[in-house]
Amino acid sequence: MTLLRTHIDVVPSGAALGAEVRGIDLRSMDDASFAAIYKAWLDHSVVLFRDQKLSDGDLIGFSRRFGTLDQAPIQENGRRFVEGFPEIYVVSNVVENGVEIGSLGAGEAVWHTDMSYLPDPPRASALYALEVPSSGGDTSFCSMYGAWEALPDDLRANALQLRVKHDGTYNSGGYLRAGVTPSDDPRTAPGTFHPLVCTHPETGRRHFYLGRRRNAWLEGMPLEESNAMLDRIWELATADSLTWRHQWRVGDLVLWDNRCVMHRRDAFDPGTRRVMHRTQIKG
């Protein structure tokens, strides 16, 4: 059966990145509709779909249109995935029968790039809202294209030659990763080196690839010099002018380009419930 294309509207956020895609049910779309969504994603780095009614299978089906999915990482409580759906990672503060059903709790999640401590991080992440508190828990995104463009000329030539270490000790919520020995020295902490500046393989635009500030280190630099340069870059990269803030509603799905976007989460009342399901598309 051929699905008829619905009329899709792409409404930019008005910020440095982000757009809402309207007029689409992600459970069913034709190839032309998906092509329009894919273009909006590349153009705006982050796309929002509201009022979706997705099962876990639907979420996986939509995500797979972008490529092969990663299996969910092991959470702090030792659990790995939703029963029957190893690709789904649960982000939640909810405790049921004394067991946390997800990861990251209710605290702030600092600016980060998903799974950047791996040699081959995911190129995209999709986060779907099942339950959200009435306030708090907003997610902000910042443009790594914009960060590179804002870098002063005196730092550009040096930045192009550098690799940055992406620490694998702690996740964005500050929790120690399963099976990792804690370390506060970025030179000896576990992690992976990636180029500090990359060229996006699909848009051809240059961008920073920063990961997390904690325990980051610029290869070969004295620690003090590395910290000074990274602090300067992070201040530029997370400036308000380069960010877009999203307030969640149930049924929201947000898809972001993990290669050229960082994101963070506001803390929220731990007495309220927040349940999100996430998938990640391989690089």
Side-chain angles (χ1 to χ4, degrees):
M1 180 178 70
T2 301
L3 297 175
L4 296 178
R5 181 178 177 182
T6 55
H7 178 69
I8 294 175
D9 289 321
V10 178
V11 182
S13 68
L17 71 173
E20 181 180 349
V21 180
R22 299 174 180 172
I24 189 71
D25 182 341
L26 298 180
R27 294 173 296 184
S28 58
M29 72 184 87
D30 61 13
D31 290 343
S33 297
F34 177 73
I37 289 170
Y38 198 94
K39 182 179 185 303
W41 173 62
L42 289 181
D43 288 347
H44 300 281
S45 301
V46 185
V47 285
L48 161 67
F49 308 88
R50 289 208 185 266
D51 302 317
Q52 301 298 311
K53 296 177 172 60
L54 306 179
S55 67
D56 286 335
D58 294 329
L59 174 58
I60 289 173
F62 169 71
S63 303
R64 278 186 177 149
R65 297 200 68 151
F66 290 83
T68 304
L69 302 187
D70 280 326
Q71 289 204 342
I74 297 173
Q75 300 171 190
E76 302 89 57
N77 59 19
R79 296 179 61 178
R80 182 166 191 146
F81 48 75
V82 177
E83 186 66 32
F85 296 98
E87 303 91 348
I88 290 180
Y89 184 67
V90 181
V91 180
S92 181
N93 67 312
V94 176
V95 178
E96 294 180 351
N97 300 318
V99 178
E100 297 172 339
I101 70 167
S103 185
L104 298 182
E108 176 188 1
V110 299
W111 284 113
H112 65 285
T113 306
D114 283 338
M115 317 298 285
S116 65
Y117 63 94
L118 297 176
D120 186 20
R123 66 189 182 98
S125 300
L127 189 61
Y128 180 58
L130 296 169
E131 298 183 56
V132 297
S134 58
S135 63
D138 297 350
T139 301
S140 295
F141 302 88
C142 65
S143 171
M144 296 295 94
Y145 292 138
W148 168 251
E149 291 161 4
L151 191 70
D153 290 342
D154 64 305
L155 289 181
R156 287 196 172 197
N158 191 22
L160 286 168
Q161 308 302 316
L162 294 172
R163 297 200 307 166
V164 62
K165 188 173 188 179
H166 293 246
D167 176 44
T169 308
Y170 303 95
N171 66 21
S172 56
Y175 296 93
L176 185 68
R177 296 189 190 279
V180 177
T181 301
S183 171
D184 287 320
D185 186 338
R187 295 165 296 186
T188 59
T192 299
F193 285 98
H194 292 291
L196 178 62
V197 182
C198 302
T199 299
H200 195 288
E202 295 183 87
T203 68
R205 297 176 64 187
R206 276 183 174 163
H207 59 86
F208 276 117
Y209 189 67
L210 296 181
R212 291 169 177 78
R213 180 63 189 90
R214 183 172 184 171
N215 279 1
W217 176 55
L218 293 171
E219 186 180 28
M221 273 194 177
L223 197 54
E224 185 174 329
E225 291 181 21
S226 170
N227 283 335
M229 185 170 181
L230 285 173
D231 285 347
R232 189 175 176 186
I233 291 171
W234 275 76
E235 184 177 5
L236 287 170
T238 59
D240 289 345
S241 60
L242 295 181
T243 66
W244 171 57
R245 183 189 190 99
H246 175 56
Q247 295 179 306
W248 291 91
R249 301 194 315 221
V250 171
D252 284 354
L253 184 141
V254 175
L255 173 79
W256 63 91
D257 192 329
N258 200 51
R259 298 165 290 190
C260 59
V261 171
M262 289 200 302
H263 61 286
R264 65 170 298 277
R265 184 191 73 190
D266 292 339
F268 58 97
D269 181 353
T272 60
R273 292 174 60 97
R274 189 177 188 269
V275 182
M276 323 286 278
H277 282 189
R278 187 190 74 187
T279 56
Q280 293 188 311
I281 296 95
K282 289 186 176 183

